[in-house]
Amino acid sequence: MSPKISVETILAALGKVQEPELHKDLVTLNMIRDLEIKGGVVSFSILLTTPACPLKGSIENAARQGVLTVPGVKTVNIKMDSSVPSDGRLRGLMQLPVRNAIAVASGKGGVGKSTISANLAIALAQTGARVGLLDADIYGPNIPTMMGIHDIPGTKDNKLIPADAYCVKLMSMGFLVKPGQPLIWRGPMLNSAIRQFLSDVEWGELDYLIIDLPPGTGDVPLSLAQALPLSGVVIVTLPQAVSLEDASRGLEMFRTLEVPILGVIENMRGEVFGSGGGEDLARVAKVSFLGAVPMEQSVRISGDTGEPVVSSRPDSDAAKALKSIAEQVAARVSVEALNESKKVPTINIF
Ligand SMILES: Nc1ncnc2c1ncn2[C@@H]1O[C@H](COP(=O)(O)OP(=O)(O)OP(=O)(O)O)[C@@H](O)[C@H]1O
Ligand SMILES: [Mg+2]
């Protein structure tokens, strides 16, 4: 006769399993759900903070091993589930049904921000998250072309309906600017235009809103960063030193604005621009390094033809790198959400 297994012993075992990003155990983090014990069979769900969790497999494994050490347990059935936490800033301030807004920024132009924004959005959507992509580069909106969208979106009940591409909801501020029309938005005006614009879009519920910012530290990215309660920003840089100086300026601007810096992405790694600069910047600025995307012709071509590489060439090295970066970004957002929620005690202890 096998010993009777109690809920407490199972929870004690799971209480020893750490979530590697959040540095707390699964029970404290309230990640264990639907625990059922039938004879020697123990079943439960693990509620991850993002479907893009890169450590899904290792968390599942550690939980299984932990529960198998309890005497009498023969089989462990685990269902991996996810619920993306919000840092609360967006809901409170703007009444937007968006859990996390993530800006993609750079110190200078042409480093691949738009390419990375588009691929990041698609990669997150591929994990099952609900994702929006906002092209906020009012001076050079490239995202619609990169995502293969050419039509100005329609309206319904005075709301703008975002386009849908690769399971990502897409809106470009460029849709509102007529070609050749001079742009005179500045400071506070730009700020309120952005807020107005964002609340006029029918996003629906989103787990992540990726925002492609204009390059640099000028008026526009500054106003944008202040107009939106951002969960965090990722900084894109080329591998070489000159680009790093610019990237570092961009990074420090966000730090001054108290926007959490989720990390640095190095783009176009390879023979032409070299490698390693992104890591250097991350180390010096004491932020995370999220990964490097190789320089590949397919990245440029797929951008030009409106079929981003994570969708059109998922097995390419660049696509694999971008998918891994998306997982890292999701993980960093979860950590930031936890840090933020520590300020207001909303974590439930099981
Ligand atoms: N990893 C890569 N390999 C090859 N080409 C790339 C890569 N990343 C981006 N590109 C190409 O480099 C060019 C610039 O990229 P992109 O438009 O994404 O940069 P950006 O930072 O958004 O530029 P801007 O500052 O003008 O908005 C594009 O032609 C794009 O296809
Ligand atoms: Mg761009």
Side-chain angles (χ1 to χ4, degrees):
M1 183 75 199
S2 51
K4 190 163 162 36
I5 306 160
S6 71
V7 171
E8 287 74 22
T9 49
I10 299 297
L11 287 181
L14 288 169
K16 291 189 192 128
V17 179
Q18 293 277 313
E19 210 287 2
E21 287 285 345
L22 302 174
H23 305 294
K24 284 186 191 303
D25 69 86
L26 303 186
V27 178
T28 305
L29 287 168
N30 199 19
M31 289 168 77
I32 306 298
R33 302 293 158 93
D34 310 323
L35 178 59
E36 239 182 58
I37 303 164
K38 277 192 188 143
V41 182
V42 178
S43 313
F44 55 90
S45 303
I46 298 180
L47 195 66
L48 299 167
T49 49
T50 165
C53 183
L55 304 157
K56 215 177 198 167
S58 65
I59 295 174
E60 179 176 352
N61 233 339
R64 186 182 310 282
Q65 294 312 319
V67 174
L68 280 171
T69 61
V70 175
V73 175
K74 293 196 175 62
T75 310
V76 183
N77 297 323
I78 304 177
K79 186 169 163 245
M80 301 304 276
D81 220 335
S82 70
S83 152
V84 179
S86 161
D87 65 13
R89 280 178 266 215
L90 282 169
R91 276 172 192 275
L93 281 166
M94 288 182 75
Q95 302 295 310
L96 267 186
V98 174
R99 288 171 181 266
N100 298 289
I102 304 162
V104 179
S106 70
K108 64 169 193 171
V111 300
K113 265 183 322 314
S114 302
T115 305
I116 287 184
S117 302
N119 281 289
L120 210 55
I122 298 174
L124 286 168
Q126 285 173 344
T127 69
R130 296 163 300 176
V131 183
L133 174 57
L134 174 67
D135 181 2
D137 189 346
I138 49 180
Y139 296 125
N142 298 132
I143 291 280
T145 306
M146 286 184 181
M147 297 283 280
I149 298 285
H150 305 286
D151 301 328
I152 292 183
T155 54
K156 194 179 164 206
D157 303 330
N158 285 327
K159 287 260 191 183
L160 291 162
I161 309 297
D164 200 312
Y166 305 98
C167 296
V168 169
K169 288 186 179 172
L170 165 66
M171 183 52 73
S172 172
M173 294 188 70
F175 287 144
L176 304 185
V177 182
K178 294 196 186 80
Q181 178 183 303
L183 277 164
I184 44 158
W185 291 358
R186 291 247 175 253
M189 211 170 128
L190 179 63
N191 205 301
S192 61
I194 294 161
R195 280 169 182 263
Q196 177 71 41
F197 175 71
L198 269 178
S199 56
D200 282 350
V201 179
E202 186 63 63
W203 292 109
E205 291 260 329
L206 294 180
D207 294 317
Y208 303 104
L209 177 65
I210 306 293
I211 303 163
D212 181 23
L213 289 181
T217 50
D219 240 13
V220 179
L222 187 79
S223 300
L224 276 160
Q226 287 171 309
L228 280 165
L230 295 171
S231 306
V233 58
V234 299
I235 308 287
V236 181
T237 182
L238 297 187
Q240 79 275 38
V242 182
S243 174
L244 292 179
E245 287 169 19
D246 296 314
S248 170
R249 261 195 298 280
L251 192 149
E252 293 309 329
M253 176 184 90
F254 288 102
R255 199 158 0 227
T256 312
L257 296 172
E258 294 185 9
V259 176
I261 294 152
L262 302 171
V264 173
I265 299 170
E266 181 179 305
N267 189 29
M268 307 199 203
R269 176 174 279 195
E271 274 176 33
V272 179
F273 294 123
S275 69
E279 276 122 324
D280 290 346
L281 174 64
R283 196 175 46 249
V284 172
K286 297 196 172 58
V287 299
S288 302
F289 180 63
L290 300 167
V293 184
M295 176 94 156
E296 269 180 26
Q297 201 185 17
S298 64
V299 177
R300 184 181 55 73
I301 294 171
S302 61
D304 288 345
T305 55
E307 301 164 289
V309 74
V310 291
S311 172
S312 59
R313 312 260 318 248
D315 294 327
S316 62
D317 288 343
K320 285 184 195 151
L322 285 156
K323 284 191 260 189
S324 148
I325 288 168
E327 290 177 347
Q328 294 301 323
V329 169
R332 295 302 312 160
V333 169
S334 300
V335 172
E336 284 302 329
L338 185 73
N339 286 343
E340 196 58 26
S341 66
K342 271 187 206 145
K343 295 177 193 162
V344 227
T346 50
I347 294 192
N348 308 314
I349 306 295
F350 195 89

